[in-house]
Amino acid sequence: EDPALQERLIYSTTFQEWEAVSSSTTPVVVNKTTSFSNEAFTMTFGETLVDPTGVQLTRFKYVDGTGKGVGPFTIGYAMAAKSPTGFIETSVFKHLSRVSFVHGATGSNRGWKLLKKNATDADWVVLSSAVANPADGVLVECTVNESNVALRFENITTDQNAYMAELNLYGM
């Protein structure tokens, strides 16, 4: 491993700086750019909305690594519809080392599942299927350490909503 390489936060959002995205069965593509490398990428939303000014999450907070509540969530969020096909999918990144996201729900056993796919994966590989427990919100961190990899978030409980209030992508 090259000692000159170091992990950096290459993209971070609380969805507050976004334009609103309506939930639709026709996927909506949003163009973004990473920090440092200025790598263009897309985020595609299927039956998932982005609300940069919503108030749905004001009662939610997530639990940090010490078990203490942090929050409340910021106001912006992405929300999967009550549908079996709600998703957020990124285009391929040159390299991702780690992903963290905060998800919550309005009831138990809900949230976002995280999957990844690179050129050698036959299908999407699950990195996390942990529900938001407590439902007030949970920080999920997953190691990726792969090149030419895309991410996909899917609604765990497809007949209920899932909320994402923060997304952080790290690369070398």
Side-chain angles (χ1 to χ4, degrees), residues 10 26 169:
I10 61 170
T26 302
L169 306 175

Side-chain angles (χ1 to χ4, degrees), residues 70-90:
V70 177
F73 278 0
T74 58
I75 301 300
Y77 61 88
M79 180 188 78
K82 296 177 181 179
S83 162
T85 57
F87 71 91
I88 302 170
E89 189 174 307
T90 71

Side-chain angles (χ1 to χ4, degrees), residues 18-32:
W18 282 57
E19 295 291 323
V21 174
S22 296
S23 179
S24 173
T25 55
T26 302
V28 176
V29 178
V30 178
N31 296 310
K32 294 291 177 184

Side-chain angles (χ1 to χ4, degrees), residues 60-117:
F60 294 151
K61 59 185 176 180
Y62 67 93
V63 177
D64 67 10
T66 66
K68 294 182 179 174
V70 177
F73 278 0
T74 58
I75 301 300
Y77 61 88
M79 180 188 78
K82 296 177 181 179
S83 162
T85 57
F87 71 91
I88 302 170
E89 189 174 307
T90 71
S91 58
V92 173
F93 290 94
K94 291 177 186 173
H95 184 271
L96 284 178
S97 56
R98 182 168 51 107
V99 176
S100 71
F101 64 98
V102 175
H103 68 146
T106 55
S108 61
N109 298 320
R110 303 177 193 176
W112 289 96
K113 178 183 347 180
L114 172 60
L115 305 97
K116 65 91 180 171
K117 187 174 185 183

Side-chain angles (χ1 to χ4, degrees), residues 3 6 37-38 44 50 67 69 90 108 123 134 138 150-151 159 161 167:
Q6 62 178 227
S37 62
N38 295 316
T44 303
V50 173
T90 71
S108 61
D123 204 354
V138 175
L151 300 174
D159 63 344
N161 300 115
L167 173 62

Side-chain angles (χ1 to χ4, degrees), residues 42-70:
T42 61
M43 292 181 72
T44 303
F45 296 84
E47 295 194 64
T48 297
L49 66 79
V50 173
D51 187 344
T53 60
V55 295
Q56 181 70 30
L57 299 181
T58 56
R59 73 172 188 84
F60 294 151
K61 59 185 176 180
Y62 67 93
V63 177
D64 67 10
T66 66
K68 294 182 179 174
V70 177

Side-chain angles (χ1 to χ4, degrees), residues 93-97 116 118 121 144-149:
F93 290 94
K94 291 177 186 173
H95 184 271
L96 284 178
S97 56
K116 65 91 180 171
N118 65 28
D121 292 325
V144 181
N145 282 332
E146 293 193 26
S147 298
N148 301 314
V149 63

